Amino acid sequence: MNLREKLKLYVITDRRLRNEVESVKEALEGGATAIQLRLKGVPTREMVEVGKKIRKLTEDYDTLYIVNDRVDVALAVDADGVHVGQEDMPVDVVKEIAPNLIVGVSASNLREALEGERKGADYIGAGSVFPTRTKEDARLLGLGGLREIVENVHIPVVAIGGINHENIREVLKVGIDGVAVISAIVGTKNIVEATRRMKEVIEEYKGRGTKQLTIILIN
Ligand code: TZP
Ligand code: MG
């Protein structure tokens, strides 16, 4: 499976909402295509411990596994990649020290997205698309800003921030490769079901796009 496919439904952990191992198990069961381990203010030793458990689970489901912020932890737990923000290690430096890791970079405007691409990022995490309560310092990108990024970068774009079952179609319409979600999935009682429902919308949407394209081609 190529990277665009693997980024389709990207579920991010948040222990304020649910324990990581539990939430990852359920999200995988529901059909998540990528998992990001996001731990803030947690001792490195614990990150490695939890990170290894999640490696095992994601391996069983053949799912992409990304560690947030920390290149050392990503390498230690044998993750597939690392996701860096604007204040983390620069993408080109990550690529120098860990050439085999997939690197995602957060962008809240077109300039940051283009810079990430130029420095060698494999995908862009673009947001916040909608207001979010999950990340305090999130800057609002909006649907317009998201569209601008999608139209100007060549690497895959994953939309993030405030995405839920009600507004996901508006995001898919922009033509992104994937959606990254915390609260609408990890913050629900039944994570399996919440993941499954979101995956269905994504597949339904992408399926429709392909059919339309086929019709245009045979016309
Ligand atoms: N980066 C930009 S917005 C955000 C992150 C990590 C939080 C996304 O969480 P939610 O609950 O899906 O809005
Ligand atoms: Mg970060």
Side-chain angles (χ1 to χ4, degrees):
M1 211 197 270
N2 66 25
L3 184 61
R4 280 182 206 275
E5 278 289 308
K6 293 239 176 198
L7 292 169
K8 214 186 303 186
L9 180 49
Y10 185 128
V11 177
I12 305 177
T13 67
D14 190 328
R15 64 169 54 179
R16 294 168 300 182
L17 302 171
R18 186 80 81 84
N19 156 285
E20 294 82 29
V21 172
E22 244 176 64
S23 53
V24 167
K25 269 188 193 159
E26 294 196 23
L28 290 170
E29 191 54 38
T33 57
I35 297 289
Q36 183 191 108
L37 177 63
R38 184 171 189 265
L39 290 168
K40 298 280 183 188
V42 171
T44 303
R45 190 161 296 206
E46 192 182 338
M47 290 177 90
V48 171
E49 203 175 294
V50 177
K52 285 189 172 173
K53 289 185 187 155
I54 292 178
R55 169 72 291 179
K56 176 86 187 60
L57 294 169
T58 48
E59 217 161 58
D60 291 346
Y61 282 82
D62 191 25
T63 300
L64 191 72
Y65 177 28
I66 306 285
V67 169
N68 191 46
D69 295 342
R70 297 277 298 269
V71 183
D72 55 344
V73 176
L75 289 171
V77 305
D78 193 28
D80 300 307
V82 64
H83 188 92
V84 289
Q86 293 295 317
E87 286 171 6
D88 299 319
M89 192 179 286
V91 185
D92 48 347
V93 179
V94 179
K95 285 286 182 185
E96 255 173 54
I97 62 173
N100 296 326
L101 285 183
I102 290 169
V103 185
V105 65
S106 300
S108 62
N109 56 52
L110 179 60
R111 184 187 54 77
E112 291 173 356
L114 289 173
E115 186 188 58
E117 180 176 55
R118 184 171 52 77
K119 289 194 166 170
D122 297 289
Y123 73 90
I124 300 293
S128 183
V129 179
F130 301 110
T132 177
R133 275 193 269 169
T134 311
K135 183 175 158 77
E136 267 179 23
D137 59 348
R139 284 169 295 167
L140 193 66
L141 170 68
L143 283 167
L146 178 66
R147 186 177 299 279
E148 205 181 16
I149 291 177
V150 168
E151 286 171 354
N152 287 283
V153 305
H154 303 94
I155 55 177
V157 176
V158 177
I160 184 166
I163 300 170
N164 57 40
H165 298 81
E166 277 69 55
N167 61 26
I168 185 173
R169 286 179 179 81
E170 290 175 67
V171 182
L172 291 167
K173 255 188 230 163
V174 176
I176 42 86
D177 298 281
V179 291
V181 178
I182 301 182
S183 48
I185 289 183
V186 181
T188 58
K189 254 205 179 120
N190 191 339
I191 295 180
V192 180
E193 190 51 31
T195 311
R196 198 169 279 153
R197 283 201 292 125
M198 201 167 270
K199 180 86 174 284
E200 266 168 27
V201 180
I202 297 170
E203 309 254 88
E204 182 193 304
Y205 198 90
K206 298 229 160 175
R208 211 174 48 216
T210 316
K211 265 184 223 150
Q212 274 167 359
L213 184 66
T214 318
I215 293 165
I216 293 165
L217 291 176
I218 52 180
N219 263 346

